[in-house]
């Protein structure tokens, strides 16, 4: 009656290499000014950047002496959010504190 067709399966091997790269990181930097108090800068470093008090004080003094200081290194979205948070808190307290980010 009918002819039997053998079960043929063709396997295709695919070797697609996907390059996985780490996302670029950004340094978040506080800039010195003549009006923002040292206490407020330390408070920002402790609350926004989760620095221990001693480290926050060291970073604040670095900002004060050198004009700027690195608060941390984060991916783009986190860095952007931290910069916005610093500006918001400074505005609420009436300080001109500036914060910026730059690609590492």
């Amino acid at each position: 009656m009918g002819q039997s067709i053998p079960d043929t399966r063709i396997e295709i091997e695919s070797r697609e290499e996907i390059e996985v790269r780490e996302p670029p990181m950004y340094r978040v930097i506080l800039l010195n000014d003549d009006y923002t108090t040292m206490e407020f800068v330390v408070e920002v470093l402790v609350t926004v950047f989760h620095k221990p008090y001693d480290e926050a004080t060291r970073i604040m003094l670095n900002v004060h002496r050198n004009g700027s200081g690195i608060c941390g290194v984060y991916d783009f979205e986190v860095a952007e959010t931290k910069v916005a948070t610093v500006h918001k808190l400074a505005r609420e307290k009436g300080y001109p504190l500036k914060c910026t980010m730059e690609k590492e």
Side-chain angles (χ1 to χ4, degrees), residues 42-57:
V42 170
E43 180 183 332
V44 164
L45 289 164
V46 169
T47 58
V48 177
F49 297 95
H50 309 290
K51 300 294 182 187
Y53 184 81
D54 290 345
E55 185 179 354
T57 301

Side-chain angles (χ1 to χ4, degrees), residues 1 3 7 13 17 19 21 24 33 46 50-52 56 61-62 66 73 76-77 84-85 88 103:
M1 283 211 198
Q3 254 184 319
D7 186 19
E13 191 174 315
E17 290 189 29
E19 184 181 338
R21 282 187 251 154
D33 64 70
V46 169
H50 309 290
K51 300 294 182 187
L61 289 172
N62 189 51
N66 300 315
V73 179
F76 181 82
E77 289 81 11
T85 301
K88 178 181 178 286
K103 196 171 186 178

Side-chain angles (χ1 to χ4, degrees), residues 27-31 68-72 83 98-102:
R27 287 184 287 269
V28 177
I29 301 166
L30 279 179
L31 305 175
S68 66
I70 297 173
C71 306
V83 169
K98 295 293 178 211
C99 188
T100 187
M101 58 191 257
E102 63 183 33

Side-chain angles (χ1 to χ4, degrees), residues 59-91:
I59 294 169
M60 175 275 298
L61 289 172
N62 189 51
V63 171
H64 180 70
R65 292 180 184 134
N66 300 315
S68 66
I70 297 173
C71 306
V73 179
Y74 309 94
D75 67 29
F76 181 82
E77 289 81 11
V78 173
E80 188 176 49
T81 300
K82 290 196 180 286
V83 169
T85 301
V86 168
H87 289 158
K88 178 181 178 286
L89 292 173
R91 241 186 348 266

